[in-house]
Amino acid sequence: MSSGNDCKPQTLTKPALGEKEAAELVDRVFGLKVSWIGSLPSYDDQNFHVRVSAEGADEYVLKITNSEDSQAPDLIEAQTQAMMFLSAEGFPSATPYLTKDGKIMSLESADTRPGSKKYMVRLLTYLPGTPVAKIATNAQILYEIGKLAASMDKVLSEKFQHPSVKSLHRGQFIWNLANVPLLDQYIYALGQNKYRAVVEKVIEQFKGKVIPKLSSFRACINHGDLNDHNILVDSSSASLENPQYRVSGILDFSDMSYGYYVFEVAIAIMYMMIESPDPLSVGGHVLAGFESVVPLTAEERGALFLLVSGRFAQSLVIAAHTALLYPENKEYLTITAKTGWKHLMTMFEVGQEAVEKMWFETARAYIHHAPA
């Protein structure tokens, strides 16, 4: 979901290749003949599902990065190396198919005209599974997602080493949770209404109660976008009444940055709330899974409500702002808004104390009945 380091979409060009052009790109850059190609939804990059007539694995995602982020090759290198590292560590993340000259990515022009925009191109393995957004989540998969989030951050922070990793220090990156105060610049997109009032309250409380505590949080590398479309699952049981799910794919590492463990769990909680019929109950199950790997400190737990609210605010404000600039992509950009506003308003109506009580009591119950 990234939009560059400071969210200035006027400098960003979303790629707009047709399927024929994309197929020719796969042939020219990767030396593979495409037998079938179809576009995939995306925020500000362009993605294609590709089938090729080649030996072995024959399904890929062609990822064409937007023009602005394409100017940060070190960052894309770090994200791709992290995916490769996680795959080697047993996580279900995609890996790149190398270009004809043995590289993991290539900077390509959209067309042959002078001065045409250049886009970073990668071909990633296609991961099977169903997006979490398309299933009725249960406590078991919410716990698994929390556990996965903590395990991934922990192994990245403790073992991932690469010269490009320093590029993950993205100071003004709008999607980093530390940067909720930057939303002041984009709040105009909401107009004047009750929604704007609650976002202003979130930003104000974030500045006063979260920012001063950041130095007490434990730092790590965050995936940063464990949303319900970026986590794929498959069912590991035949029971229709109580299906057991496992995570089969982790997608979209473009929001990776240095952050804090508590950021990752807050982001996961917020996105798992989106499609849930009982959104306030979600947090405790995700938190329990996360804390089975990385228990939160008292300071981190105390910030959780405002961090979840802050991610709602980021998603809703940036989507409204970007939809004004790209009305043709409004439906995809405002997916979260359909239920997001309702959930954020409910959180503030119920209040921090009651919501936290629900989350923490649910998480505590797992201490004696932890899943295998």
Side-chain angles (χ1 to χ4, degrees):
M1 275 198 181
S2 67
S3 305
N5 274 12
D6 52 5
C7 195
K8 291 180 181 168
Q10 66 270 22
T11 64
L12 179 153
T13 301
K14 180 173 176 170
L17 275 70
E19 290 180 359
K20 185 170 180 288
E21 295 169 292
E24 289 168 354
L25 193 65
V26 172
D27 186 6
R28 178 163 53 84
V29 178
F30 300 96
L32 295 174
K33 299 289 182 195
V34 173
S35 59
W36 177 89
I37 188 166
S39 63
L40 294 167
S42 62
Y43 201 85
D44 52 23
D45 299 330
Q46 194 176 20
N47 301 324
F48 291 92
H49 182 186
V50 175
R51 292 198 185 108
V52 300
S53 41
E55 296 294 321
D58 64 349
E59 288 190 89
Y60 298 94
V61 172
L62 175 67
K63 190 162 188 68
I64 307 167
T65 301
N66 69 74
S67 61
E68 184 178 318
D69 289 351
S70 291
Q71 295 171 39
D74 281 0
L75 182 59
I76 300 172
E77 171 90 21
Q79 294 160 356
T80 313
Q81 292 288 345
M83 291 158 64
M84 295 162 69
F85 165 80
L86 287 169
S87 178
E89 289 286 324
F91 290 82
S93 58
T95 53
Y97 186 93
L98 299 183
T99 64
K100 286 199 281 193
D101 54 359
K103 295 187 168 64
I104 62 173
M105 58 188 182
S106 180
L107 192 63
E108 300 292 328
S109 294
D111 53 53
T112 54
R113 289 175 302 183
S116 69
K117 297 275 188 184
K118 288 185 179 290
Y119 305 104
M120 199 64 81
V121 173
R122 286 171 292 169
L123 193 65
L124 304 173
T125 50
Y126 180 82
L127 299 174
T130 304
V132 169
K134 300 274 173 64
I135 66 164
T137 55
N138 56 24
Q140 177 261 333
I141 190 58
L142 293 171
Y143 182 94
E144 291 301 322
I145 288 166
K147 187 175 179 180
L148 172 90
S151 303
M152 186 164 58
D153 283 13
K154 192 168 190 285
V155 75
L156 281 171
S157 298
E158 292 178 356
K159 294 173 69 176
F160 178 54
Q161 293 180 320
H162 191 270
S164 62
V165 77
K166 60 184 181 296
S167 65
L168 297 176
H169 290 286
R170 305 166 74 178
Q172 296 297 296
F173 181 48
I174 193 67
W175 287 106
N176 189 301
L177 252 181
N179 290 328
V180 165
L182 295 182
L183 295 178
D184 281 335
Q185 304 167 59
Y186 309 104
I187 203 167
Y188 74 90
L190 301 179
Q192 294 290 344
N193 50 43
K194 63 181 181 180
Y195 297 138
R196 178 170 176 155
V198 79
V199 167
E200 286 174 339
K201 186 190 281 189
V202 170
I203 296 171
E204 181 189 353
Q205 291 188 16
F206 202 97
K207 288 175 181 174
K209 297 179 179 177
V210 176
I211 298 298
K213 288 185 178 172
L214 287 178
S215 60
S216 70
F217 298 163
R218 288 164 301 161
C220 68
I221 296 171
N222 290 146
H223 174 281
D225 195 15
L226 288 176
N227 71 47
D228 48 342
H229 293 269
N230 285 343
I231 301 172
L232 304 177
V233 297
D234 61 25
S235 178
S236 57
S237 77
S239 167
L240 294 175
E241 296 79 33
N242 186 30
Q244 296 290 296
Y245 295 103
R246 68 179 187 92
V247 175
S248 61
I250 309 161
L251 308 179
D252 196 356
F253 285 73
S254 60
D255 283 2
M256 276 186 82
S257 66
Y258 273 98
Y260 303 91
Y261 282 109
V262 69
F263 282 10
E264 198 79 273
V265 67
I267 290 166
I269 287 171
M270 176 263 165
Y271 284 120
M272 293 308 109
M273 288 174 69
I274 291 297
E275 302 290 342
S276 174
D278 186 14
L280 293 184
S281 71
V282 162
H285 303 292
V286 178
L287 178 62
F290 194 91
E291 290 199 312
S292 73
V293 179
V294 179
L296 297 185
T297 65
E299 290 89 350
E300 290 164 344
R301 274 188 158 214
L304 200 52
F305 177 90
L306 280 173
L307 288 169
V308 173
S309 306
R311 185 49 164 217
F312 268 118
Q314 283 180 316
S315 183
L316 295 163
V317 171
I318 297 168
H321 168 69
T322 312
L324 289 178
L325 295 164
Y326 304 105
E328 71 282 0
N329 200 25
K330 183 176 180 179
E331 186 177 352
Y332 181 76
L333 292 168
T334 55
I335 285 171
T336 302
K338 288 172 182 163
T339 52
W341 282 118
K342 186 173 71 175
H343 296 345
L344 179 59
M345 302 300 275
T346 301
M347 282 180 70
F348 271 78
E349 284 161 17
V350 174
Q352 179 169 349
E353 190 177 338
V355 172
E356 285 180 343
K357 185 169 186 284
M358 194 184 308
W359 289 349
F360 299 158
E361 284 182 357
T362 300
R364 194 178 305 122
Y366 277 86
I367 293 170
H368 305 295
H369 307 283

